[in-house]
Amino acid sequence: MVKEDFPILQDIVYLDNAATTQKPLQVIEAIRNYYLLHNANIHRGVYPLARKSTDLYEEAHRVVAGFIGARAEEVVFVRNTTEGLNLASHLLEPLVRAGDNIVVTISEHHSNLLPWWRLARRRGARLRIGMVREDGSIDEEDVISKIDESTRIVAVQHASNVTGYITDVRKIVKQAKKVGAVVVLDGAQSVPHVPIDVNGLGVDILAFSGHKMLGPMGIGVLWARKEILEEAEPFLLGGDMIKEVHYTNGEIVPLWNELPWKFEAGTPNVAGAVGLMEAIRYLERFGMEKILPHEKKLATATAEGLEDMGFNVIGGERRGGVVAFWKEDIDPHLLAYRLGQKKVCVRSGYHCAQPLHEVLEVRGSIRASFYLYNDEDDVERFFEALREVVR
Ligand code: PMP
């Protein structure tokens, strides 16, 4: 019984999992224990408490690496997907020259759109934008058609936060590799929901957030191939990212630390890393392969019920565990507000994907997004509340 691990769910129907997920008791307990029993700064003290804290932090890197089929030295802890993608755009900046292009899609979350837009502007490159099919899913063929010899970076979402659609990454990677472009994957909506193997996918960089996968807020991951991390310049400079700093002949001469510490300057979020590690253990006990089929079943039933009520639903057959819907004469925020009064939590607006809404000609939608702890009872209570509100 998963729901019992989430006290907050006893009273509400929580369908805003694409924004953030709830945290199980096990994760909260792990964070509490860390602060009660193991708190010390890492990589600094030689006393046992500092060693223990360091060990936990390094173990978290290994657990995350194992979860995505990567090496621990390639796992950089950041705050969230947004920070990971911004850091990725910094790492790749030297690759881009005037006249080059960067390929994204119209379906991107603003976090995987604006850093590339800025990088293109800074370097005199062009941003090329792959389109979506009528149902809002990424049109992989259109993305592929935008990739050519001048493409340096292809940055795409692995799963949409509006439809849950899982992009056929391998097709895009194949084309990108033909022209030597780096592939950046926004895994914010996929890593929490499907098993991930970065090598199987063939991508070069992956970013995701701990808070969307039962972990705490304030911890996220940037995974990048070792060669990229070795070559790139760190973004934040200071403590812990440095091995030595010399004062030689009147000059300061720094020597960067080993991977991944080179990219983790300053005191990190150790408790967050411990919480994320516990979240991953929870997900693995549940079974990663079970999550998306479970959500999809609930989302499909929800989409059908909504269509029966006369709502337009974005996503069609290709949806994942997310249902965004709208109706001409219904204000999304007002509807979400009224549902909230009935203890049903859904998101309203553009969900940080305004360009997608614009090409679909939808002026804002309401979004119900599912996770492993949701069940048929939640769907029923959602419709009960919705019918009352609409009436
Ligand atoms: N990309 C996608 C597809 C997302 O859904 C989100 C969160 N809504 C993000 C990026 C950004 O995640 P965060 O807010 O944790 O940085």
Side-chain angles (χ1 to χ4, degrees):
M1 278 301 288
V2 186
K3 250 184 184 169
E4 281 162 11
D5 296 331
F6 299 83
I8 205 170
L9 297 177
Q10 305 314 313
D11 192 36
I12 54 164
V13 176
Y14 186 76
L15 302 179
D16 196 16
N17 294 289
T20 199
T21 57
Q22 298 304 337
K23 325 303 173 197
L25 290 168
Q26 291 83 340
V27 167
I28 295 165
E29 192 62 15
I31 297 167
R32 183 173 175 271
N33 272 342
Y34 172 76
Y35 278 126
L36 282 178
L37 304 172
H38 309 304
N39 175 59
N41 215 328
I42 57 148
H43 292 159
R44 289 177 173 93
V46 290
Y47 48 91
L49 194 65
R51 274 297 343 148
K52 176 67 184 177
S53 185
T54 301
D55 287 348
L56 284 169
Y57 190 62
E58 294 187 353
E59 187 185 358
H61 284 74
R62 290 194 296 276
V63 167
V64 168
F67 188 62
I68 59 170
R71 292 185 282 192
E73 61 196 336
E74 298 173 329
V75 168
V76 177
F77 283 154
V78 290
R79 278 189 305 150
N80 47 37
T81 307
T82 304
E83 186 174 310
L85 292 166
N86 277 271
L87 178 55
S89 74
H90 168 79
L91 302 182
L92 301 179
E93 182 156 351
L95 291 185
V96 183
R97 302 221 155 77
D100 289 344
N101 68 69
I102 298 172
V103 175
V104 295
T105 82
I106 197 69
S107 179
E108 299 311 312
H109 187 280
H110 300 161
S111 299
N112 198 33
L113 187 61
L114 300 179
W116 307 115
W117 165 82
R118 179 176 61 184
L119 178 55
R121 274 172 52 124
R122 271 195 191 154
R123 308 291 284 186
R126 284 205 51 160
L127 194 65
R128 289 192 177 164
I129 303 169
M131 285 296 139
V132 287
R133 303 181 190 93
E134 232 170 77
D135 63 9
S137 61
I138 288 181
D139 183 346
E140 288 87 355
E141 297 306 325
D142 192 61
V143 178
I144 287 167
S145 76
K146 303 267 168 17
I147 300 173
D148 66 14
E149 295 294 328
S150 302
T151 306
R152 295 290 159 261
I153 299 163
V154 180
V156 290
Q157 63 187 197
H158 195 194
S160 161
N161 66 329
V162 177
T163 64
Y165 173 70
I166 307 262
T167 313
D168 189 347
V169 178
R170 262 167 263 202
K171 267 191 191 172
I172 295 172
V173 167
K174 202 169 155 204
Q175 187 65 19
K177 294 295 142 189
K178 267 190 206 160
V179 301
V182 172
V183 180
V184 180
L185 199 59
D186 172 358
Q189 299 294 346
S190 64
V191 177
H193 303 274
V194 291
I196 298 284
D197 170 30
V198 284
N199 290 308
L201 287 168
V203 297
D204 302 293
I205 293 181
L206 171 75
F208 56 99
S209 299
H211 71 91
K212 292 185 199 279
M213 49 192 283
L214 309 181
M217 290 180 175
I219 187 89
V221 175
L222 179 76
W223 167 81
R225 285 193 192 286
K226 195 176 170 190
E227 309 80 77
I228 294 175
L229 294 175
E230 274 175 342
E231 269 181 38
E233 285 289 309
F235 180 65
L236 295 176
L237 307 186
D240 214 27
M241 54 74 62
I242 203 89
K243 189 176 258 169
E244 296 163 23
V245 187
H246 295 285
Y247 178 59
T248 312
N249 302 328
E251 300 275 345
I252 298 296
V253 183
L255 180 65
W256 307 142
N257 205 345
E258 285 146 25
L259 296 179
W261 321 122
K262 175 182 162 190
F263 292 99
E264 294 191 4
T267 300
N269 182 359
V270 183
V274 167
L276 175 57
M277 171 161 68
E278 197 56 37
I280 288 176
R281 289 182 173 142
Y282 190 100
L283 291 171
E284 284 178 335
R285 280 196 301 275
F286 183 87
M288 281 307 293
E289 69 293 343
K290 290 193 208 147
I291 298 178
L292 187 65
H294 171 73
E295 298 164 346
K296 218 171 160 155
K297 203 171 72 196
L298 300 176
T300 305
T302 304
E304 285 169 5
L306 284 165
E307 277 170 349
D308 289 346
M309 286 179 74
F311 281 96
N312 302 292
V313 181
I314 306 173
E317 291 285 292
R318 295 189 181 91
R319 81 172 53 272
V322 185
V323 186
F325 57 98
W326 57 281
K327 212 177 198 177
E328 207 56 67
D329 53 350
I330 289 183
D331 176 351
H333 295 305
L334 185 59
L335 181 58
Y337 175 74
R338 294 267 186 250
L339 287 172
Q341 288 178 317
K342 298 192 176 298
K343 297 190 174 178
V344 174
C345 311
V346 293
R347 174 89 186 256
S348 52
Y350 295 117
H351 327 305
C352 296
Q354 193 166 359
L356 175 65
H357 280 78
E358 285 182 2
V359 295
L360 295 174
E361 295 179 4
V362 178
R363 279 176 295 141
S365 60
I366 304 115
R367 180 185 71 186
S369 52
F370 297 88
Y371 207 31
L372 47 80
Y373 39 64
N374 292 119
D375 53 22
E376 275 92 2
D377 189 45
D378 290 333
V379 176
E380 238 170 75
R381 286 177 62 191
F382 163 77
F383 277 110
E384 264 169 38
L386 184 65
R387 277 189 211 101
E388 280 177 33
V389 169
V390 169
R391 224 182 282 138

XYZ file of all heavy atoms in Angstrom, residues 2 17 21 67 166 189-195 212-214 279-299 320-322 370-374:
363
model
N 1.108 1.812 -1.164
C 2.021 2.936 -1.295
C 1.494 4.185 -0.582
O 2.249 4.894 0.065
C 2.237 3.269 -2.785
C 3.298 4.327 -2.957
C 2.607 2.013 -3.549
N 1.646 16.139 -10.049
C 2.951 15.474 -9.914
C 3.981 15.917 -10.935
O 5.173 15.733 -10.726
C 2.753 13.964 -9.977
C 1.961 13.483 -8.787
O 2.461 13.472 -7.681
N 0.691 13.150 -9.005
N 6.450 16.071 -6.752
C 5.795 14.903 -6.152
C 5.830 15.021 -4.634
O 6.612 15.783 -4.072
C 6.519 13.605 -6.548
O 7.893 13.707 -6.146
C 6.431 13.382 -8.042
N 21.333 4.303 -11.069
C 19.926 4.458 -11.457
C 19.786 4.812 -12.944
O 18.798 4.468 -13.578
C 19.322 5.566 -10.579
C 17.844 5.747 -10.708
C 16.964 4.736 -10.365
C 17.312 6.958 -11.151
C 15.594 4.910 -10.459
C 15.944 7.148 -11.253
C 15.085 6.110 -10.908
N 6.514 10.428 -24.595
C 7.942 10.105 -24.525
C 8.533 10.224 -25.928
O 8.109 9.523 -26.855
C 8.172 8.677 -23.992
C 7.438 8.460 -22.667
C 9.671 8.360 -23.918
C 8.235 8.593 -21.416
N 10.774 15.014 -16.818
C 9.506 14.263 -16.790
C 9.667 12.802 -17.191
O 8.665 12.090 -17.315
C 8.465 14.939 -17.703
C 8.103 16.345 -17.305
C 7.364 16.439 -15.967
O 6.875 15.451 -15.425
N 7.281 17.646 -15.428
N 10.883 12.358 -17.456
C 11.047 10.941 -17.817
C 11.760 10.153 -16.726
O 11.315 9.062 -16.363
C 11.830 10.813 -19.127
O 13.152 11.319 -18.979
N 12.825 10.708 -16.171
C 13.614 9.957 -15.171
C 12.736 9.492 -13.990
O 12.919 8.382 -13.505
C 14.827 10.801 -14.694
C 15.598 10.064 -13.613
C 15.747 11.106 -15.880
N 11.738 10.281 -13.560
C 10.890 9.800 -12.465
C 9.924 8.679 -12.883
O 9.356 8.021 -12.016
C 10.076 11.040 -12.074
C 10.834 12.207 -12.629
C 11.475 11.697 -13.876
N 9.752 8.477 -14.196
C 8.627 7.630 -14.636
C 9.009 6.375 -15.410
O 8.205 5.450 -15.511
C 7.669 8.467 -15.495
C 7.147 9.678 -14.792
N 6.043 9.650 -13.973
C 7.609 10.950 -14.737
C 5.835 10.844 -13.459
N 6.783 11.665 -13.916
N 10.185 6.361 -16.013
C 10.587 5.182 -16.810
C 12.046 4.808 -16.489
O 12.832 5.672 -16.110
C 10.470 5.446 -18.343
C 9.029 5.561 -18.764
C 11.247 6.684 -18.766
N 12.409 3.533 -16.637
C 13.817 3.171 -16.420
C 14.687 3.890 -17.452
O 14.299 3.998 -18.621
C 13.833 1.653 -16.682
C 12.418 1.212 -16.620
C 11.583 2.380 -17.034
N 10.855 15.826 -8.353
C 9.786 15.233 -9.177
C 9.803 13.712 -9.093
O 9.105 13.022 -9.835
C 9.942 15.667 -10.637
C 9.667 17.163 -10.844
C 9.725 17.508 -12.310
C 9.917 18.981 -12.559
N 8.694 19.773 -12.476
N 10.673 13.161 -8.230
C 10.783 11.704 -8.126
C 10.882 11.285 -6.656
O 11.701 10.460 -6.299
C 11.977 11.192 -8.939
C 13.274 11.934 -8.700
S 14.557 11.535 -9.923
C 15.087 9.930 -9.324
N 10.023 11.895 -5.835
C 9.880 11.574 -4.411
C 10.997 12.141 -3.538
O 10.992 11.968 -2.329
C 9.790 10.050 -4.153
C 8.783 9.236 -4.954
C 8.852 7.759 -4.518
C 7.375 9.751 -4.768
N 15.006 8.260 -2.066
C 13.895 8.272 -3.029
C 14.144 7.238 -4.126
O 13.234 6.513 -4.545
C 13.746 9.677 -3.626
N 15.373 7.168 -4.596
C 15.711 6.203 -5.653
C 15.530 4.773 -5.139
O 14.986 3.911 -5.833
C 17.149 6.456 -6.161
C 17.164 7.744 -6.984
C 17.670 5.267 -6.972
C 18.530 8.180 -7.472
N 15.930 4.554 -3.894
C 15.745 3.205 -3.319
C 14.260 2.865 -3.244
O 13.867 1.726 -3.508
C 16.395 3.143 -1.934
C 17.912 3.164 -2.077
C 18.619 3.049 -0.745
N 20.056 2.912 -0.976
C 20.994 3.459 -0.230
N 20.670 4.167 0.831
N 22.265 3.276 -0.514
N 13.456 3.849 -2.916
C 11.999 3.636 -2.837
C 11.453 3.280 -4.227
O 10.691 2.329 -4.385
C 11.325 4.906 -2.306
C 9.865 4.722 -1.959
C 9.467 4.534 -0.642
C 8.880 4.724 -2.954
C 8.129 4.357 -0.306
C 7.549 4.536 -2.639
C 7.176 4.355 -1.319
O 5.853 4.171 -1.009
N 11.872 4.051 -5.223
C 11.393 3.821 -6.596
C 11.832 2.439 -7.092
O 11.075 1.742 -7.772
C 11.940 4.897 -7.545
C 11.390 6.312 -7.335
C 12.170 7.309 -8.180
C 9.910 6.370 -7.682
N 13.050 2.056 -6.737
C 13.546 0.749 -7.195
C 12.794 -0.391 -6.521
O 12.524 -1.413 -7.149
C 15.062 0.649 -6.994
C 15.777 1.475 -8.076
C 17.283 1.508 -7.955
O 17.794 1.309 -6.828
O 17.941 1.747 -8.995
N 12.437 -0.193 -5.262
C 11.635 -1.235 -4.581
C 10.260 -1.349 -5.240
O 9.735 -2.436 -5.418
C 11.463 -0.897 -3.093
C 12.648 -1.246 -2.220
C 12.260 -1.252 -0.735
N 11.740 0.021 -0.266
C 12.489 1.043 0.168
N 13.794 0.932 0.188
N 11.931 2.161 0.585
N 9.702 -0.210 -5.629
C 8.379 -0.211 -6.295
C 8.488 -0.863 -7.666
O 7.613 -1.603 -8.099
C 7.875 1.226 -6.431
C 6.499 1.329 -7.038
C 5.377 1.247 -6.235
C 6.337 1.512 -8.413
C 4.103 1.339 -6.796
C 5.073 1.599 -8.975
C 3.948 1.513 -8.158
N 9.577 -0.595 -8.366
C 9.783 -1.137 -9.719
C 9.587 -0.053 -10.763
O 8.438 0.300 -11.073
N 10.665 0.486 -11.302
C 10.577 1.587 -12.269
C 9.719 1.215 -13.470
O 9.008 2.054 -14.022
C 11.980 2.004 -12.738
C 12.745 2.882 -11.783
S 11.853 4.346 -11.243
C 11.736 5.289 -12.764
N 9.785 -0.040 -13.885
C 9.073 -0.442 -15.101
C 7.551 -0.428 -14.903
O 6.797 -0.427 -15.873
C 9.574 -1.813 -15.601
C 9.241 -3.026 -14.748
C 9.927 -3.058 -13.367
O 10.916 -2.326 -13.159
O 9.428 -3.790 -12.489
N 7.118 -0.381 -13.633
C 5.663 -0.419 -13.374
C 5.032 0.968 -13.378
O 3.817 1.100 -13.421
C 5.422 -1.029 -11.982
C 5.722 -2.492 -11.867
C 5.139 -2.992 -10.552
C 5.931 -4.180 -10.051
N 5.989 -4.230 -8.586
N 5.866 2.012 -13.268
C 5.292 3.338 -12.995
C 4.499 3.894 -14.180
O 3.310 4.221 -14.041
C 6.403 4.331 -12.545
C 7.032 3.822 -11.236
C 5.842 5.734 -12.358
C 8.168 4.672 -10.710
N 5.125 3.978 -15.340
C 4.419 4.598 -16.476
C 3.140 3.837 -16.878
O 2.096 4.477 -17.073
C 5.350 4.794 -17.681
C 4.717 5.589 -18.824
C 4.410 7.025 -18.410
C 5.598 5.591 -20.071
N 3.183 2.493 -16.977
C 1.934 1.789 -17.328
C 0.802 2.102 -16.343
O -0.347 2.297 -16.737
C 2.327 0.305 -17.263
C 3.805 0.285 -17.486
C 4.334 1.572 -16.910
N 1.155 2.196 -15.050
C 0.150 2.509 -14.025
C -0.437 3.906 -14.253
O -1.657 4.094 -14.272
C 0.821 2.397 -12.648
C -0.027 2.893 -11.520
N -1.119 2.200 -11.053
C 0.055 4.033 -10.766
C -1.681 2.892 -10.063
N -0.995 4.007 -9.880
N 0.441 4.880 -14.462
C -0.020 6.265 -14.665
C -0.820 6.405 -15.954
O -1.796 7.150 -16.031
C 1.175 7.205 -14.791
C 2.063 7.276 -13.599
C 3.403 7.904 -13.924
O 3.763 8.053 -15.121
O 4.112 8.240 -12.994
N -0.370 5.697 -16.948
C -1.002 5.802 -18.268
C -2.443 5.308 -18.209
O -3.332 5.889 -18.841
C -0.194 4.945 -19.255
C -0.070 5.566 -20.602
C 0.893 4.815 -21.474
C 0.588 5.194 -22.899
N 1.704 5.049 -23.783
N -2.635 4.236 -17.434
C -3.986 3.693 -17.271
C -4.900 4.760 -16.641
O -6.003 5.010 -17.120
C -3.899 2.454 -16.368
C -5.032 1.497 -16.538
C -4.781 0.197 -15.795
C -4.906 0.425 -14.309
N -4.359 -0.586 -13.446
N -4.413 5.404 -15.595
C -5.209 6.427 -14.909
C -5.422 7.640 -15.823
O -6.513 8.210 -15.882
C -4.517 6.865 -13.617
C -4.269 5.765 -12.572
C -3.487 6.323 -11.387
C -5.584 5.159 -12.089
N -4.365 8.023 -16.551
C -4.459 9.202 -17.425
C -5.419 8.945 -18.583
O -6.188 9.829 -18.976
C -3.072 9.566 -17.949
N 1.329 10.161 -22.035
C 1.897 9.387 -20.926
C 0.979 9.551 -19.731
O -0.245 9.447 -19.876
N 1.541 9.873 -18.582
C 0.721 9.987 -17.374
C 0.274 11.403 -17.070
O 0.126 11.779 -15.909
N 0.065 12.192 -18.120
C -0.318 13.598 -17.941
C -1.521 13.901 -18.837
O -1.545 13.481 -19.992
C 0.848 14.546 -18.340
C 0.505 15.994 -18.032
C 2.140 14.154 -17.641
N -0.157 12.288 -13.001
C -0.237 11.171 -12.055
C 1.137 10.661 -11.650
O 2.127 10.856 -12.361
C -1.029 10.029 -12.702
C -2.451 10.418 -13.004
C -2.780 11.025 -14.217
C -3.452 10.215 -12.065
C -4.088 11.416 -14.486
C -4.758 10.598 -12.327
C -5.076 11.199 -13.542
N 1.147 9.955 -10.516
C 2.380 9.275 -10.118
C 2.029 7.938 -9.486
O 0.860 7.544 -9.445
C 3.202 10.166 -9.175
C 4.687 9.859 -9.244
C 5.279 9.396 -10.417
C 5.512 9.993 -8.134
C 6.644 9.114 -10.486
C 6.873 9.717 -8.190
C 7.425 9.266 -9.369
O 8.765 8.980 -9.435
N 3.043 7.260 -8.997
C 2.839 5.875 -8.571
C 1.816 5.702 -7.460
O 1.193 4.652 -7.344
C 4.188 5.243 -8.173
C 5.154 6.001 -7.261
C 4.746 5.884 -5.804
C 6.563 5.462 -7.454
N 1.629 6.747 -6.618
C 0.700 6.605 -5.491
C -0.744 6.931 -5.846
O -1.638 6.739 -5.043
C 1.147 7.460 -4.302
C 1.700 8.826 -4.662
C 0.924 9.803 -5.267
C 3.039 9.122 -4.390
C 1.445 11.039 -5.582
C 3.576 10.364 -4.702
C 2.768 11.323 -5.295
O 3.290 12.545 -5.615
N -1.003 7.456 -7.033
C -2.386 7.746 -7.409
C -3.099 6.435 -7.750
O -2.477 5.457 -8.130
C -2.443 8.706 -8.605
C -1.955 10.087 -8.237
O -0.978 10.586 -8.798
N -2.615 10.712 -7.283
